[in-house]
Amino acid sequence: MTTIPWRRWTRAVLGRRALLRWVHLVLGGALLMPYFLLTTVILGSVVRSDDLLTSLPWQLLAFAAALPLAALTALFPLVRPLEATAARALCGLPESAELAAGPAASWDARQRTALWYALHLAVGGVVSGVTLAVPPAAVLLMALPVAGTSYGADLGWPGAFDGGRAVLAPAAGALLLAGVAVVALGAGALLARCAPALLGPAPADRLAAAEERAARLASRNRLARELHDSVGHALSAVTLQASAARRVLDADPGFAREALEAIEETTRGAVAELDSVLGLLREESEGAGTGPAAPSPTLADLDGLLARTRAAGVTVDLDGPPPGGLPPVVSREAYRIVQEGLSNALRHAGPVPVRVRMTRCGSELEIRVENPVSGAAARARRTGGGRGLRGIAERAALLRGSCAWDTVDGRWRLTVRLPLGAAR
């Protein structure tokens, strides 16, 4: 009992798909007509034959000559999205079929579009001709036993069904109609099979899409690193400051007041950093009327970073001022690396002395951040890292540098080398 509705639904879907494919083929025949008439006029001006419009060989020659002309016009880039839209709506393609959405940008895509367009018009022209010519003949055959053989003779019908053979005419008419249906179904299936190969994305389109996805992924990773390093450092410092203020609130109100002031300053700086990071999201849409992104901090802002870290109760020693004359991108990445190194010490080691050293070794900038660790952390050899360390490694890799971290003699040490030439 449950199979009957399923079969009806299947027949309905197949019937609708066949009808849409037939419409698609008829549209191809209609698109062929201007080219066919043009080639007919050209042949008429060259050959000057009286039977040009009535001779089947001349008509077939005009039909064949119209296809290269149609293929040439299909080299126009906008033909591909138009044909792809029609094929997706009318060809009954499977859901997994992938068709190109934009204009044909490469020569390979234009050639494949031209081949599809010529195939669509050629097959559509044949199906349209069969659709126009065969059904009237089939109706004539079906009416032949009733109307008499003289009816067919008056219309110029061949004498194949004269006399007693007239009873076979309805069956022949039904076979002709079935042949039209078979031709239409086969032609529709052929176009549906060729559509993904000819109208699908070209290798250049796939490469461009992959590059666009990679660019979006790199942009998201950059934003994630900026958020982690800037906001994460501020939250780590505020956590230590709030914890210290809570412990001495009753015993030393003055220190608690200073800690609260430091928290206020740190959070204000974090808001500014967040605005700078969110400005990265506006870089790609500056042409839409938005303002430019806020500048990212560089090593010129290192003193403020160290002051906020010291306000959290951490002793930070900087071995000399940062080297000058660094490329801007190196200065920005170096600031973020030092920031994450300090955040790492705050989160994992607590208020312990941290030493930061930056030296310029030839064509490289070496950054070293180290702090003592104790207990299980000192005995464990840390070979991995969290998101912050992975972010530092990604920043170094973007500048073709190197990054390493390890625990040596009870001290956690982070070493990063950034080439200066690659940044330029």
Side-chain angles (χ1 to χ4, degrees), residues 80-122:
R80 184 173 71 164
L82 295 176
E83 283 292 312
T85 301
R88 186 179 292 108
L90 301 176
C91 273
L93 301 177
E95 295 182 359
S96 59
E98 183 181 5
L99 300 184
S106 63
W107 181 247
D108 175 62
R110 295 182 183 183
Q111 286 180 322
R112 292 195 296 150
T113 303
L115 180 58
W116 162 264
Y117 192 65
L119 178 63
H120 180 200
L121 268 59

Side-chain angles (χ1 to χ4, degrees), residues 206-286:
R206 297 184 184 276
L207 179 60
E211 291 177 348
E212 184 179 355
R213 288 193 298 270
R216 288 198 302 266
L217 180 60
S219 179
R220 287 197 295 267
N221 287 341
R222 180 187 177 191
L223 178 61
R225 288 194 302 269
E226 296 291 325
L227 284 173
H228 179 275
D229 293 349
S230 60
V231 180
H233 173 80
L235 292 178
S236 298
V238 166
T239 300
L240 286 181
Q241 292 164 349
S243 176
R246 178 182 56 83
R247 288 195 301 266
V248 300
L249 181 59
D250 296 329
D252 193 351
F255 178 82
R257 186 179 301 106
E258 293 177 0
L260 292 176
E261 292 176 356
I263 290 175
E264 180 183 0
E265 182 181 355
T266 302
T267 52
R268 186 181 297 112
V271 171
E273 289 272 341
L274 182 61
D275 180 70
S276 175
V277 173
L278 294 180
L280 298 174
L281 293 175
R282 298 192 293 267
E283 288 182 352
E284 297 181 357
S285 58
E286 288 180 4

Side-chain angles (χ1 to χ4, degrees), residues 352-400:
V352 298
V354 182
R355 183 180 180 184
V356 179
R357 186 178 68 180
M358 284 181 285
T359 55
R360 185 169 183 169
C361 305
S363 61
E364 287 186 340
L365 174 66
E366 182 181 278
I367 304 172
R368 178 170 293 181
V369 181
E370 59 182 24
N371 59 270
V373 292
S374 59
R379 293 190 299 270
R381 181 181 179 85
R382 296 177 62 179
T383 58
R387 294 185 179 90
L389 293 177
R390 287 199 297 268
I392 291 176
E394 290 174 359
R395 292 181 186 276
L398 288 175
L399 296 181
R400 301 179 184 177

Side-chain angles (χ1 to χ4, degrees), residues 181-191:
V182 170
V183 170
L185 289 174
L190 173 64
L191 290 183

Side-chain angles (χ1 to χ4, degrees), residues 32-49 51-55 57-66 69:
L32 179 65
M33 287 305 298
Y35 306 101
F36 177 75
L37 294 176
L38 179 60
T39 53
T40 301
V41 171
I42 294 175
L43 285 176
S45 62
V46 174
V47 177
R48 298 186 182 279
S49 175
D51 59 346
L52 183 63
L53 298 177
T54 58
S55 173
W58 283 114
Q59 295 296 299
L60 292 178
L61 179 61
F63 178 84
L69 182 62

